[in-house]
Amino acid sequence: MASLYTDYLRTLTQLHQRGDATEESFYPALKELLENFAHRHGQKAEVTVLPKRTEAGSPDFRIWDGSGQVIGYIEAKAPGTNLTAIEHTPQLKRYRETFPNLILTDFYEFRLYREGKLLKQVVLADAVIAQRVKELPPARGAKECDELLTQFLSYQLTIAPTPEELARKLAQRTRFLRDEAILPELSYPHSPLQGLYEAFTQYLLPHLSPQEFADLYAQTLTYGLFVARLYAKSGLSRLTAFAAIPESLGILREIFRFVSSEEPSENFQVIIEDIIGVLRAVEVEELFRRYKHEPILHFYETFLAEYAPEERERRGVYYTPLPVVRYIVRAVDRLLRERFGLGDGLADTRVTLLDPAAGTLTFVIEAIRHALDTYAHQYGKGAVESLIRQHILKNFYAFELLMAPYVIGHLHIGHFLQEEAHFQLQKGERFPLYLTNTLEMEDIQQTTFPFVRVLSEEGREAGRIKKETPILVILGNPPYSGHSATTNEWTESLLKEDKDGVPSYYKVEGKPLGEKNPKWLQDDYVKFLRWAQWKIHTAGRGIVAMITNHSYLDNPTFRGMRYSLLQTFDEIYILDLHGNSLKREKAPDGSPDENVFDIRQGVAIGIFIKYSPNEQRRPSSRSASSPTAKNKSIYHAELWGKRGDKYAWLESHSLPDSGFQPITPEPPFYFLQPKGLGLDNYLTWLPVNKIFPTGSVGIVTSRDNLTIQWSEYEMWQTVLRFSKMDPELARETYSLGKDVRDWKVSWAQKDLLDKGGPSRDKITPILYRPFDIRYTYYTGKSRGFHCMPRPDVMRHMLAGENVGLLIMRQVSLEGGYTHVLVTDKIVEARVFASAKGIAQLHPMYLYSGSDLISERDDLFREENLSSSVRELLSSSYGREIGVKEVFAYAYAILYSIQYREKYLELLQTDFPRIPFPQERQVFERLAELGQRLIDLHLLRCEPPPASIYYEGEGSDTIDTPFYDETQQRLYLKKPRKGEPARYFTG
């Protein structure tokens, strides 16, 4: 065996002596060594040298076992390369994460990695000596090299028989496929992949970026290979994958033409074949038998959690727990029987059902299961096949926008019908799950491009269902995404206009909402619920049953949505499942409350029923004297506690025994949950934003650690350094992270350098937290140094003497309402501690005459007070009332303990409302107290004796307040090492 290495080293020496050898010159020698070694040890090894198309891509060598199974990969570097340094490069990190059996070598040293970890390291000969002397170096590490290559060539991929382990292995390779194969292919203008990308953007997802397409396509290929693995009648390979995919998945088949029929790059082929190797290494059929529904129900979520957890959260890809699904399905079935007179419920052939955001078909399959069980019990198991063919395959529909869940959904329904219903889809049969954007009503153009032709056929059938087919039941779990990916003219008009008799979500009783930023109405779940409402309304009757974000129940921005729902539906059931960690929700007894999903946003089940005139209704629970309440029945229930307890409750309860209580949503908010006492009086008072009309939320810096500093000097030094730094160095120095949509390092630096460069005059104090005054550099330019500087309001705080009222429109409360303060500085948006809502600033005075913050001459000042309020109070009190008095009076009210306690629940949901007394003396006395409190909070006067206590040593003078979160102490001055310090204790 020593002669094998001697011959190998002799070839390397000869290459060195030539003087012009490149790294690639040494490849044939290593290939020959591997093949000869395998032959002498009775092993099969086929070595492929992969072309270097780019600096990225796959490793340099791929080793097969001769029967289509990949053994491992080798990454080679030029002789004498420092492999320790290479080991820590991003490229090697990707290789080690992706390929479980990998060698890194400089042709003299060999490092073997298993599952990313260094298993063995061998130096066959000294590379430095070999390059400097003409004599052949001795093969001192021949024995150790034998052991290393034996271990390398004897590797067999093993995968634990669980969905989680399979998902992990596939996710590693799918990431590699995306980054090292698909994205490079997209960079070539006339490549087949570029044509596919253009088809996607033109006919399905118009705003899809190349990176997003690479994500979508990589996942689709992996899931497609998973499907092919299940259906392949013989050994699965890249070339046979297309034929193995069922004809019912026509879109997937067309996508696979590129993989199986075209000639993708060598790099592309390598990773596809590696994914196939993973699928061949696991007994997928056994996985299905062992875990029943678990592989399909959880595979997509598990895969995405490993592949791209941030995408999973952004798209709301969370498997709906079966107890939730079953509760909703049972409720729908009961309502069909009792309210619509359909004795067989979901099994009745008059029922049409749709899940508009179907995912992996969890809801639809549970509805089918329930219908089949009902029918088999009523008419015998022999009738089930006819019911599936004549009812389920004709009247149950599903829409899905994303390719990956679309593929898994078809796999899921096929497996369910075959394994549980003992029903085999025949040639030409398919379940009506369509790849389409539910919220897009435009017809797809006709074309001869194969993929788009199939897509257009799919879209045409989906369009028929959207526009023409009456649907009786719409159910599911639509995505929750504050920044919706679906924006089109039709959906915008559906939300904002009265459509076919369905009132707009942007109006209440025909009047505009008056919201400055109603962005939450653009959430995907709102759009899906609106679409379902419109669809049922146009059909004339039906049920919408969905689990969604629960914010629409009481958030003031959604009052138009609530009003619209109350106009459309005759009967509404709300089961609030809570679990909102963003609001730090706890059960009424103070015990922990958990979400039924692995998300932070609380959820609720909403069931909305619309009847035709001749159908049975439940007696109204509401007073007919209210125009909105007439002939309506609205019910509310809630569920608190641990997740497991909620699951158990949902499994053991049905609609009638769920503890629903009648509620009466009233104007102007139309809350879909009970509210506390005092609503009638409270809602007649004016909100703060109507009294002081000009206001906005605080400054959003987007990068506090850069834009907020302790002192004017620190702020100035930061500006000078940051403005001149290389962007990437600045990003690292100030821990700025990745650029986001509205803030980029380059934009911030440009803002500082514009108009002659940094100016010390633009450094100004800012209220960062209560009584915590720091410094910032303020230009007033949006998407500059600050992300959102709110210049329309903040300029009034900088132009001259002013005081601003700080309030919160929405608050997540723990303990009580304390979110009120005054300031004479500009203010940061998160000045108050709350998981919900941001600070609103309403200045006392408004300055005009100059648009530039730095030019403060010849300014005119006016009061920020509603003219109607001024006239009303002046008339009522018999003298002129100005903004300063009203401001002080409002501040006193907002600090009233009785006011805060009585209206605690209402203060969480909208701008606080201010009552004005009939007696002038009461107004004046409260205004006096409010002014004293304002002066105290602005540190303009001495506090009352014994009202504040200190501990520690040092002066009582407040200098640079500092809150130590660890010790939970508010220091009067930022402590410095060795100096005494005093802090507040009461």
Side-chain angles (χ1 to χ4, degrees):
M1 183 60 68
S3 63
L4 184 69
Y5 294 112
T6 301
D7 293 342
Y8 169 70
L9 291 173
R10 180 177 294 110
T11 303
L12 299 188
T13 302
Q14 291 170 353
L15 288 168
H16 287 307
Q17 291 173 348
R18 277 173 36 189
D20 60 350
T22 63
E23 176 189 312
E24 289 79 3
S25 303
F26 295 87
Y27 286 1
L30 181 56
K31 180 177 185 294
E32 185 178 2
L33 171 67
L34 293 167
E35 290 174 341
N36 289 338
F37 181 90
H39 178 73
R40 293 191 185 186
H41 283 77
Q43 294 176 296
K44 292 183 179 180
E46 179 183 327
V47 182
T48 303
V49 179
L50 302 175
K52 271 191 174 294
R53 187 169 180 177
T54 65
E55 284 301 315
S58 299
D60 301 307
F61 294 82
R62 176 179 53 185
I63 295 83
W64 303 73
D65 67 355
S67 61
Q69 186 70 44
V70 176
I71 295 173
Y73 295 86
I74 297 176
E75 174 65 10
K77 298 297 178 183
T81 299
N82 184 340
L83 297 186
T84 300
I86 296 296
E87 191 175 51
H88 299 289
T89 61
Q91 182 191 46
L92 249 293
K93 184 180 179 183
R94 288 194 299 271
Y95 290 172
R96 290 166 63 183
E97 288 175 349
T98 306
F99 305 113
N101 190 36
L102 174 72
I103 286 177
L104 173 63
T105 182
D106 69 346
F107 299 95
Y108 292 91
E109 180 183 352
F110 297 84
R111 298 186 180 192
L112 174 61
Y113 302 92
R114 280 285 166 81
E115 302 292 345
K117 297 180 180 179
L118 182 63
L119 181 67
K120 199 174 190 64
Q121 181 176 352
V122 173
V123 177
L124 176 63
D126 192 303
V128 176
I129 294 176
Q131 295 177 77
R132 291 180 180 175
V133 299
K134 295 182 178 179
E135 295 182 4
L136 185 68
R140 293 176 178 171
K143 182 179 178 182
E144 291 81 2
C145 204
D146 271 358
E147 295 172 357
L148 182 145
L149 291 178
T150 299
Q151 283 183 289
F152 176 72
L153 293 172
S154 61
Y155 175 78
Q156 285 188 328
L157 181 65
T158 57
I159 298 176
T162 65
E164 291 75 18
E165 178 65 11
L166 178 60
R168 187 177 71 82
K169 296 285 188 184
L170 291 176
Q172 291 170 344
R173 288 155 176 81
T174 307
R175 274 195 300 268
F176 197 84
L177 174 65
R178 176 195 66 194
D179 297 336
E180 311 298 344
I182 297 176
L183 280 172
E185 286 284 333
L186 287 173
S187 66
Y188 294 92
H190 302 295
S191 70
L193 265 192
Q194 183 66 30
L196 194 61
Y197 167 59
E198 291 172 359
F200 261 92
T201 55
Q202 185 173 355
Y203 298 103
L204 187 62
L205 297 168
H207 304 295
L208 196 68
S209 70
Q211 177 68 37
E212 290 169 331
F213 172 77
D215 257 340
L216 178 153
Y217 192 56
Q219 291 184 59
T220 301
L221 291 178
T222 296
Y223 295 126
L225 290 169
F226 182 63
V227 172
R229 169 67 178 84
L230 291 175
Y231 287 95
K233 299 192 184 325
S234 58
L236 177 65
S237 71
R238 178 178 66 85
L239 298 176
T240 63
F242 173 82
I245 294 172
E247 291 183 5
S248 60
L249 287 172
I251 293 176
L252 185 62
R253 282 170 62 86
E254 290 302 327
I255 285 179
F256 260 81
R257 282 189 187 276
F258 174 74
V259 176
S260 294
S261 304
E262 303 283 348
E263 282 298 325
S265 68
E266 185 80 16
N267 206 30
F268 200 102
Q269 295 178 42
V270 166
I271 190 61
I272 287 292
E273 286 157 351
D274 200 73
I275 291 173
I276 290 171
V278 171
L279 290 167
R280 292 174 62 179
V282 67
E283 292 293 333
V284 179
E285 296 85 353
E286 175 60 29
L287 198 67
F288 273 64
R289 284 192 293 271
R290 181 174 176 181
Y291 285 85
K292 294 186 178 179
H293 312 295
E294 185 180 339
I296 298 176
L297 290 178
H298 295 282
F299 182 77
Y300 179 46
E301 181 186 351
T302 306
F303 174 89
L304 202 56
E306 176 71 31
Y307 172 74
E310 69 288 346
E311 180 189 10
R312 176 195 182 204
E313 184 167 350
R314 177 170 57 86
R315 292 184 175 175
V317 180
Y318 290 92
Y319 156 70
T320 311
L322 281 176
V324 172
V325 179
R326 289 169 181 151
Y327 179 89
I328 291 174
V329 168
R330 290 198 308 272
V332 167
D333 185 76
R334 187 167 190 130
L335 288 169
L336 290 172
R337 296 168 188 272
E338 297 181 358
R339 303 289 198 276
F340 291 86
L342 302 173
D344 290 333
L346 287 165
D348 195 293
T349 55
R350 291 168 289 180
V351 172
T352 49
L353 177 144
L354 169 68
D355 186 341
T360 57
L361 287 185
T362 302
F363 274 91
V364 172
I365 287 177
E366 187 57 35
I368 295 172
R369 181 182 286 114
H370 196 90
L372 297 184
D373 288 347
T374 298
Y375 209 73
H377 179 75
Q378 188 79 11
Y379 304 105
K381 293 183 178 181
V384 165
E385 181 176 347
S386 174
L387 183 72
I388 294 174
R389 191 157 273 123
Q390 299 303 320
H391 176 42
I392 301 301
L393 297 184
K394 290 184 177 181
N395 296 325
F396 280 38
Y397 308 103
F399 297 156
E400 176 53 46
L401 174 60
L402 300 176
M403 274 297 304
Y406 169 80
V407 171
I408 295 297
H410 272 289
L411 181 61
H412 190 187
I413 187 69
H415 182 261
F416 165 78
L417 291 174
Q418 183 174 329
E419 296 299 320
E420 293 194 44
H422 308 293
F423 178 88
Q424 185 69 47
L425 289 169
Q426 302 300 315
K427 187 173 182 179
E429 284 185 328
R430 59 168 285 182
F431 180 78
L433 165 60
Y434 298 104
L435 184 69
T436 185
N437 184 347
T438 301
L439 303 175
E440 177 61 71
M441 300 296 281
E442 293 286 334
D443 291 326
I444 294 178
Q445 303 173 37
Q446 300 302 301
T447 177
T448 58
F449 188 75
F451 167 72
V452 182
R453 186 178 65 250
V454 175
L455 184 62
S456 65
E457 292 170 359
E458 184 107 340
R460 188 167 55 252
E461 183 59 24
R464 182 188 64 79
I465 297 164
K466 293 179 194 178
K467 298 173 183 178
E468 301 173 14
T469 305
I471 300 295
L472 187 62
V473 175
I474 299 177
L475 81 177
N477 174 22
Y480 320 157
S481 174
H483 301 286
S484 172
T486 302
T487 302
N488 57 62
E489 185 177 341
W490 191 89
T491 304
E492 286 299 293
S493 68
L494 182 66
L495 284 172
K496 296 178 179 179
E497 300 173 9
D498 296 344
K499 179 78 72 173
D500 298 327
V502 182
S504 160
Y505 282 7
Y506 281 71
K507 297 178 183 177
V508 179
E509 298 178 345
K511 298 178 182 179
L513 280 179
E515 295 283 341
K516 287 185 177 180
N517 188 18
K519 64 179 182 178
W520 299 119
L521 288 173
Q522 292 290 328
D523 197 307
D524 277 331
Y525 86 89
V526 176
K527 293 180 179 181
F528 275 92
L529 193 51
R530 173 65 170 177
W531 187 90
Q533 176 190 2
W534 166 80
K535 185 67 176 170
I536 292 297
H537 178 81
T538 54
R541 64 172 191 158
I543 301 169
V544 176
M546 291 181 170
I547 181 167
T548 69
N549 182 325
H550 70 174
S551 294
Y552 77 96
L553 301 181
D554 67 345
N555 187 310
T557 304
F558 294 87
R559 61 190 184 276
M561 176 181 176
R562 292 190 289 270
Y563 176 80
S564 179
L565 291 169
L566 289 166
Q567 301 309 299
T568 298
F569 295 103
D570 301 297
E571 195 172 340
I572 297 175
Y573 293 87
I574 300 295
L575 176 56
D576 194 343
L577 297 175
H578 294 288
N580 194 328
S581 62
L582 295 172
K583 293 170 63 176
R584 301 185 180 94
E585 282 193 316
K586 291 184 179 179
D589 63 2
S591 60
D593 183 57
E594 297 177 356
N595 202 304
V596 294
F597 293 93
D598 290 324
I599 60 175
R600 297 179 297 166
Q601 177 60 57
V603 296
I605 294 172
I607 301 174
F608 306 86
I609 306 113
K610 180 178 179 62
Y611 300 111
S612 62
N614 61 342
E615 280 167 333
Q616 179 183 355
R617 299 174 185 234
R618 192 178 179 123
S620 174
S621 65
R622 314 174 71 201
S623 169
S625 62
S626 168
T628 308
K630 190 174 182 179
N631 296 324
K632 304 287 182 177
S633 301
I634 318 298
Y635 301 92
H636 177 275
E638 56 189 353
L639 197 56
W640 301 92
K642 294 185 176 181
R643 178 182 298 182
D645 295 337
K646 291 181 180 180
Y647 287 170
W649 189 95
L650 290 165
E651 290 281 26
S652 61
H653 288 75
S654 60
L655 200 64
D657 63 357
S658 296
F660 285 100
Q661 298 297 319
I663 60 172
T664 305
E666 296 285 359
F669 293 111
Y670 300 102
F671 294 125
L672 287 177
Q673 63 182 28
K675 286 295 175 183
L677 298 175
L679 182 64
D680 293 339
N681 288 334
Y682 183 85
L683 294 179
T684 64
W685 305 334
L686 281 174
V688 165
N689 66 311
K690 299 297 184 183
I691 300 171
F692 312 111
T694 297
S696 83
V697 295
I699 294 169
V700 176
T701 74
S702 197
R703 297 295 185 272
D704 286 7
N705 55 334
L706 170 70
T707 59
I708 306 288
Q709 301 297 329
W710 284 102
S711 68
E712 184 177 354
Y713 173 80
E714 288 174 298
M715 189 70 253
W716 180 237
Q717 293 301 311
T718 298
V719 166
L720 291 178
R721 287 195 299 268
F722 172 75
S723 63
K724 299 174 183 177
M725 286 177 125
D726 173 80
E728 293 309 311
L729 178 59
R731 192 187 309 281
E732 182 179 348
T733 302
Y734 294 101
S735 302
L736 301 177
K738 295 180 179 179
D739 288 344
V740 292
R741 185 188 64 179
D742 294 326
W743 192 93
K744 302 183 187 299
V745 171
S746 59
W747 294 353
Q749 291 179 320
K750 184 178 183 301
D751 188 25
L752 295 179
L753 295 172
D754 278 352
K755 298 180 181 179
S759 169
R760 200 157 189 162
D761 292 340
K762 293 179 180 177
I763 296 176
T764 184
I766 183 170
L767 184 66
Y768 185 63
R769 298 291 181 264
F771 305 105
D772 181 358
I773 298 169
R774 304 191 191 181
Y775 287 84
T776 192
Y777 186 92
Y778 191 83
T779 68
K781 180 181 178 181
S782 295
R783 298 184 177 182
F785 189 60
H786 291 146
C787 174
M788 298 177 185
R790 317 294 185 191
D792 289 347
V793 169
M794 295 303 155
R795 66 188 183 90
H796 300 300
M797 302 301 296
L798 294 168
E801 182 181 353
N802 215 335
V803 176
L805 175 64
L806 282 169
I807 55 171
M808 295 274 279
R809 185 180 182 185
Q810 297 175 61
V811 180
S812 176
L813 295 179
E814 273 198 346
Y817 182 78
T818 59
H819 299 71
V820 179
L821 197 59
V822 286
T823 182
D824 54 4
K825 311 288 190 297
I826 61 174
V827 64
E828 198 270 339
R830 292 289 181 183
V831 63
F832 295 123
S834 176
K836 181 180 180 182
I838 55 179
Q840 291 264 160
L841 177 67
H842 291 264
M844 187 182 294
Y845 298 110
L846 307 177
Y847 288 84
S848 59
S850 174
D851 292 331
L852 298 178
I853 294 165
S854 59
E855 297 178 8
R856 303 180 182 181
D857 298 332
D858 302 323
L859 295 181
F860 174 74
R861 189 176 83 171
E862 60 181 327
E863 295 184 347
N864 182 23
L865 179 65
S866 164
S867 58
S868 60
V869 172
R870 183 196 305 276
E871 292 169 5
L872 175 65
L873 295 180
S874 298
S875 173
S876 299
Y877 299 154
R879 67 174 179 83
E880 188 69 23
I881 300 296
V883 69
K884 188 172 182 180
E885 279 187 284
V886 179
F887 199 93
Y889 169 81
Y891 203 61
I893 292 295
L894 293 169
Y895 267 88
S896 162
I897 295 175
Q898 291 87 348
Y899 172 88
R900 290 182 173 189
E901 289 180 349
K902 185 172 184 178
Y903 304 112
L904 177 65
E905 196 171 8
L906 295 163
L907 288 168
Q908 298 180 61
T909 59
D910 199 10
F911 290 104
R913 292 172 173 261
I914 305 298
F916 288 100
Q918 293 182 348
E919 300 82 4
R920 188 180 80 182
Q921 293 80 2
V922 175
F923 172 81
E924 290 174 343
R925 176 58 179 154
L926 285 172
E928 179 185 346
L929 291 172
Q931 187 59 53
R932 288 171 59 186
L933 194 58
I934 288 171
D935 291 339
L936 182 63
H937 288 173
L938 291 176
L939 308 179
R940 292 175 175 174
C941 62
E942 292 291 327
S947 63
I948 297 178
Y949 302 91
Y950 309 98
E951 288 190 16
E953 299 178 359
S955 169
D956 293 347
T957 302
I958 297 175
D959 186 351
T960 53
F962 172 77
Y963 183 70
D964 188 316
E965 294 187 2
T966 303
Q967 299 181 8
Q968 294 188 332
R969 291 176 178 174
L970 179 60
Y971 285 89
L972 279 65
K973 179 179 180 181
K974 187 178 181 182
R976 299 184 184 277
K977 189 173 181 180
E979 289 184 357
R982 299 200 85 178
Y983 51 88
F984 292 101
T985 59

